[in-house]
Amino acid sequence: MADYIVNKINKGDQLILACAGSGKSVLLISKCFKAARMNPDKQFLITCYNDNLRSLYTWFIDRAGLRAKNVTCVTFHSLCRNLLKKNGFHVGHDDFDGWVYSAIDKLNQGKIKERFYGIFIDEVQIFQPEWYK
């Protein structure tokens, strides 16, 4: 069944709900890798809330040889901070909420140009609804 789920990629939003330890993160990264290999000229993002999970994903990405190609993994707050910095906006030290709301504001104003072809979010239950919109 898992092979079917990984190999059946549909465009658009998808939500996977299951209990802890059921393999949601493995399924997420497998779908990301499959999409990244199918679209080598596109950029993909995996984001999560927890830095330990980000470290695990980064390890998987490195082993798959995709970091230098087209898959990036950062925590959500680091993503916001990086987007602001790359576009020349002020980034306060350890201002996590400020990074998020400033990045949302700048994205809505069209002042941040970076885009990803696919975004894979783990731990979405921890995210505020406005974060993933």
Side-chain angles (χ1 to χ4, degrees), residues 27-84:
L27 186 57
L28 180 138
I29 200 164
S30 297
K31 287 182 81 72
C32 179
F33 285 2
K34 175 127 177 136
R37 287 191 177 110
M38 290 170 58
N39 300 279
D41 59 327
K42 308 286 187 195
Q43 292 299 308
F44 291 84
L45 170 71
I46 298 173
T47 189
C48 54
Y49 193 83
N50 180 306
D51 196 51
N52 289 331
L53 184 55
R54 184 218 38 94
S55 294
L56 178 63
Y57 276 138
T58 301
W59 186 84
F60 285 135
I61 292 165
D62 287 344
R63 295 308 160 278
L66 291 170
R67 186 200 309 230
K69 295 180 182 175
N70 62 342
V71 178
T72 302
C73 181
V74 291
T75 62
F76 181 71
H77 289 96
S78 293
L79 171 65
C80 293
R81 183 191 67 220
N82 294 346
L83 289 172
L84 291 168

Side-chain angles (χ1 to χ4, degrees), residues 2-133:
D3 181 46
Y4 172 76
I5 294 170
V6 170
N7 288 315
K8 186 177 182 283
I9 295 178
N10 298 317
K11 288 189 176 190
D13 299 340
Q14 296 180 19
L15 178 63
I16 299 169
L17 300 172
C19 62
S22 62
K24 297 179 300 291
S25 296
V26 171
L27 186 57
L28 180 138
I29 200 164
S30 297
K31 287 182 81 72
C32 179
F33 285 2
K34 175 127 177 136
R37 287 191 177 110
M38 290 170 58
N39 300 279
D41 59 327
K42 308 286 187 195
Q43 292 299 308
F44 291 84
L45 170 71
I46 298 173
T47 189
C48 54
Y49 193 83
N50 180 306
D51 196 51
N52 289 331
L53 184 55
R54 184 218 38 94
S55 294
L56 178 63
Y57 276 138
T58 301
W59 186 84
F60 285 135
I61 292 165
D62 287 344
R63 295 308 160 278
L66 291 170
R67 186 200 309 230
K69 295 180 182 175
N70 62 342
V71 178
T72 302
C73 181
V74 291
T75 62
F76 181 71
H77 289 96
S78 293
L79 171 65
C80 293
R81 183 191 67 220
N82 294 346
L83 289 172
L84 291 168
K85 286 176 77 172
K86 283 182 184 178
N87 288 276
F89 297 108
H90 173 72
V91 178
H93 181 68
D94 290 339
D95 183 14
F96 299 107
D97 288 339
W99 300 342
V100 171
Y101 292 104
S102 182
I104 290 170
D105 181 54
K106 302 298 188 224
L107 280 163
N108 289 335
Q109 293 177 30
K111 295 181 178 179
I112 294 177
K113 303 297 180 195
E114 288 81 5
R115 296 294 184 264
F116 295 93
Y117 188 73
I119 300 174
F120 295 79
I121 305 171
D122 203 347
E123 306 176 308
V124 74
Q125 73 279 6
I126 300 171
F127 284 45
Q128 299 298 319
E130 62 270 17
W131 293 4
Y132 53 82
K133 289 180 181 171

